[in-house]
């Protein structure tokens, strides 16, 4: 039977009838004792966060829940409901859109920060060189910066950076990634000659990397948070009704361009 039992291997959960252990701890001891953020940490890391780490994780999860129907993920969730999908379909539709450009840029940003933190010299000129190379060789858009709507400042980013600073002062995190991220914002503004503000993907990614989460998990955690917004908007749309709503009222058209 080992070919059957070995088919899936996990360190996350062990079960038998009447027993559910998550990361070696009985579920009944977790229920009522762990916050949702602490449970997420336990599931992903197999350990307990400190109170300060849990608070910071929670702050990031709170910050990115919603950005209104102008955000592609939220608009898609609402459109999905008007096409007959249930809440699961609405949430899945939203999550599928959270990729490199919208909501998923934190994954690339965490990798970028890992690369920069490994550099012996993190002066503004070195960062500028790195960003110029990145923009030329990989992507002209630095992940985690820029916003279609919030110019010159995305109000979520300074608040989240202030919380990281407080956490650093308490010794909960090192603050080294935050330090580089804030420098990038300044250097990028110099390069572009205008503010290109740290956005929500960037700010939450700083928290995730400070807490030791991998690039992939920075994206996963963003999806988890935004799922709350997708669920709320999907449910509200269900209450409102509406059938087969496209991205604009039907009287508005796209521009037809003859070849
Ligand atoms: C989010 C995003 C699509 C918003 O785009 P936008 O503000 O409409 O930006 P535009 O494409 O109109 O660019 C406006 C200017 O800012 C620059 N810019 C915007 N974001 C930039 C970034 N992340 N890095 C470098 N330059 C950027 C553009 O090059 C452009 O410069 P130009 O005027 O010299 O041509 C864009 O900033 C981006 O792709 N950011 C990286 C991905 C990301 O972090 N996504 C999460 C969004 S919350």
């Amino acid at each position: 039977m080992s070919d059957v039992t070995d088919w899936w291997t996990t360190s996350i959960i062990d079960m038998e009838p009447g027993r559910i252990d998550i990361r070696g701890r009985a579920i009944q001891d977790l229920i009522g004792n762990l916050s949702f953020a602490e449970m997420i940490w336990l599931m992903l890391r197999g350990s307990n966060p400190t109170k300060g780490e849990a608070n910071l994780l929670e702050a990031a999860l709170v910050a990115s829940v919603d950005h209104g129907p102008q955000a592609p993920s939220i608009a898609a969730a609402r459109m999905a409901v008007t096409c007959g999908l249930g809440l699961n379909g609405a949430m899945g539709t939203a999550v599928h859109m959270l990729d490199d450009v919208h909501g998923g840029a934190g994954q690339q940003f965490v990798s970028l920060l890992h690369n920069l933190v490994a550099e012996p010299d993190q002066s503004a000129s070195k960062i500028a060189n790195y960003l110029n190379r990145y923009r030329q060789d990989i992507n002209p858009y630095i992940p985690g910066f820029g916003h279609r709507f919030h110019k010159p400042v995305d109000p979520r980013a300074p608040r989240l950076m202030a919380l990281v600073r407080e956490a650093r002062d308490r010794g909960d995190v090192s603050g080294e990634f935050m330090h580089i991220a804030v420098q990038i914002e300044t250097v990028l503004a110099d390069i572009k000659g205008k503010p290109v503000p740290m956005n929500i993907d960037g700010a939450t990614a700083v928290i995730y990397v400070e807490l030791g989460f991998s690039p992939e998990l920075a994206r996963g955690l963003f999806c988890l948070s935004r799922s709350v917004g997708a669920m709320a908007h999907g449910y509200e749309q269900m209450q409102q009704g509406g059938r087969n709503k496209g991205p604009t009222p039907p009287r508005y058209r796209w521009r037809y361009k003859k070849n």
Side-chain angles (χ1 to χ4, degrees), residues 124-151:
S125 65
K126 282 284 174 196
I127 290 179
N129 285 343
Y130 183 92
L131 295 187
N132 284 331
R133 277 203 317 276
Y134 187 97
R135 294 187 67 228
Q136 203 179 314
D137 301 342
I138 300 175
N139 188 345
Y141 289 86
I142 302 297
F145 294 86
H147 207 284
R148 283 176 304 134
F149 188 75
H150 298 295
K151 300 172 197 281

Side-chain angles (χ1 to χ4, degrees), residues 4-224:
V4 180
T5 49
D6 290 348
W7 189 254
W8 301 113
T9 300
T10 176
S11 309
I12 299 173
I13 189 165
D14 192 23
M15 287 192 338
E16 57 188 13
R19 179 175 67 84
I20 302 170
D21 289 351
I22 296 199
R23 299 288 192 185
R25 295 171 63 186
I27 190 74
Q28 59 271 31
D29 295 340
L30 303 175
I31 298 169
N33 289 319
L34 251 57
S35 70
F36 193 43
E38 287 168 330
M39 187 63 182
I40 293 166
W41 188 291
L42 180 68
M43 284 292 288
L44 297 176
R45 310 272 285 263
S47 61
N48 287 330
T50 63
K51 194 80 196 130
E53 288 170 331
N55 286 345
L56 207 50
L57 174 59
E58 178 129 15
L61 292 169
V62 165
S64 47
V65 287
D66 189 14
H67 201 244
Q70 209 196 35
S73 50
I74 297 295
R78 297 193 76 119
M79 281 192 269
V81 164
T82 72
C83 296
L85 274 70
L87 271 188
N88 54 330
M91 292 164 75
T93 302
V95 166
H96 275 134
M97 302 195 83
L98 299 173
D99 214 288
D100 289 354
V101 179
H102 168 49
Q107 179 168 338
Q108 303 149 306
F109 190 38
V110 168
S111 299
L112 186 155
L113 286 171
H114 274 301
N115 290 341
L116 272 172
V117 91
E119 293 281 331
D121 178 357
Q122 290 154 12
S123 60
S125 65
K126 282 284 174 196
I127 290 179
N129 285 343
Y130 183 92
L131 295 187
N132 284 331
R133 277 203 317 276
Y134 187 97
R135 294 187 67 228
Q136 203 179 314
D137 301 342
I138 300 175
N139 188 345
Y141 289 86
I142 302 297
F145 294 86
H147 207 284
R148 283 176 304 134
F149 188 75
H150 298 295
K151 300 172 197 281
V153 175
D154 179 335
R156 298 164 291 188
R159 171 68 180 147
L160 290 171
M161 290 310 95
L163 291 177
V164 178
R165 251 176 237 114
E166 286 172 23
R168 176 203 57 197
D169 295 345
R170 280 194 307 267
D172 293 326
V173 296
S174 75
E176 58 182 342
F177 295 99
M178 186 248 325
H179 179 67
I180 295 176
V182 170
Q183 275 184 286
I184 292 176
E185 193 173 33
T186 308
V187 170
L188 192 54
D190 277 352
I191 292 174
K192 293 300 301 180
K194 61 184 170 194
V196 184
M198 188 189 297
N199 59 41
I200 186 67
D201 297 31
T204 51
V206 169
I207 290 190
Y208 298 140
V209 70
E210 286 282 352
L211 291 174
F213 288 102
S214 67
E216 293 81 3
L217 285 176
R219 180 171 296 190
L221 288 164
F222 193 101
C223 290
L224 190 63

